[in-house]
Amino acid sequence: MGNQVVIIVGTFILLITGLLLGYVLSQLVLGFLAFNLLTLFGTFSLILIFGTLYYVLFWQLGREQSQVVPETRPEQAETQITEQIADSHLKNKLIAKLGGDVAAAERLIEQAKLNYPGMPETWYCERVIDDLERDQR
């Protein structure tokens, strides 16, 4: 919750500062605002505030994202990808055996999960495929 407040407040202040900076610069360029020491320091301070808030906001966002993403070792990531591919292949094989009926495949997998809780996803797909092949004989 605290990070979200920082991001929301920072974004609001960044928006207001950006609007003020754009207005001051446009008035300077159009000649409606005299260029003197006050406008120079005012413009410089707006640029400084804008840049600082921009940096802090994206630093905060980066910090928040790095906390959310769990670190995985390359071996774990490779294993997860391999399991996902195998799982996808088995589900496609099951759907093909059921003549393209995805809903039936999902129902059979859910039934297997109820009958045999705590097994890996690939095991359920293999079990349902084996049951279907056994029933066809």
Side-chain angles (χ1 to χ4, degrees):
M1 180 68 180
N3 290 340
Q4 291 176 343
V5 171
V6 168
I7 291 171
I8 290 170
V9 169
T11 303
F12 179 73
I13 294 172
L14 194 62
L15 179 70
I16 298 300
T17 307
L19 288 173
L20 284 172
L21 181 60
Y23 176 75
V24 168
L25 289 176
S26 69
Q27 296 304 307
L28 280 171
V29 168
L30 292 174
F32 297 127
L33 191 60
F35 187 73
N36 55 28
L37 197 57
L38 182 63
T39 57
L40 176 70
F41 284 137
T43 305
F44 181 71
S45 68
L46 284 173
I47 291 171
L48 190 64
I49 292 168
F50 189 81
T52 304
L53 279 171
Y54 191 78
Y55 174 78
V56 168
L57 187 63
F58 281 99
W59 173 76
Q60 182 71 22
L61 283 170
R63 206 174 113 214
E64 189 174 279
Q65 286 177 350
S66 69
Q67 290 174 350
V68 170
V69 177
E71 292 193 25
T72 57
R73 295 190 309 264
E75 304 88 34
Q76 287 177 332
E78 189 175 311
T79 305
Q80 290 173 350
I81 291 170
T82 305
E83 287 174 359
Q84 288 173 354
I85 291 171
D87 186 37
S88 170
H89 175 71
L90 286 170
K91 281 188 178 178
N92 288 340
K93 184 177 176 182
L94 174 60
I95 292 168
K97 284 201 172 289
L98 293 171
D101 192 353
V102 177
E106 292 297 327
R107 281 194 308 271
L108 288 171
I109 290 172
E110 288 303 316
Q111 185 60 43
K113 285 180 181 179
L114 290 173
N115 293 339
Y116 308 99
M119 301 302 284
E121 189 73 25
T122 54
W123 187 89
Y124 294 119
C125 290
E126 290 171 353
R127 177 70 186 204
V128 171
I129 290 171
D130 289 343
D131 289 347
L132 284 175
E133 288 175 350
R134 188 186 63 234
D135 291 345
Q136 287 176 352
R137 288 187 233 155

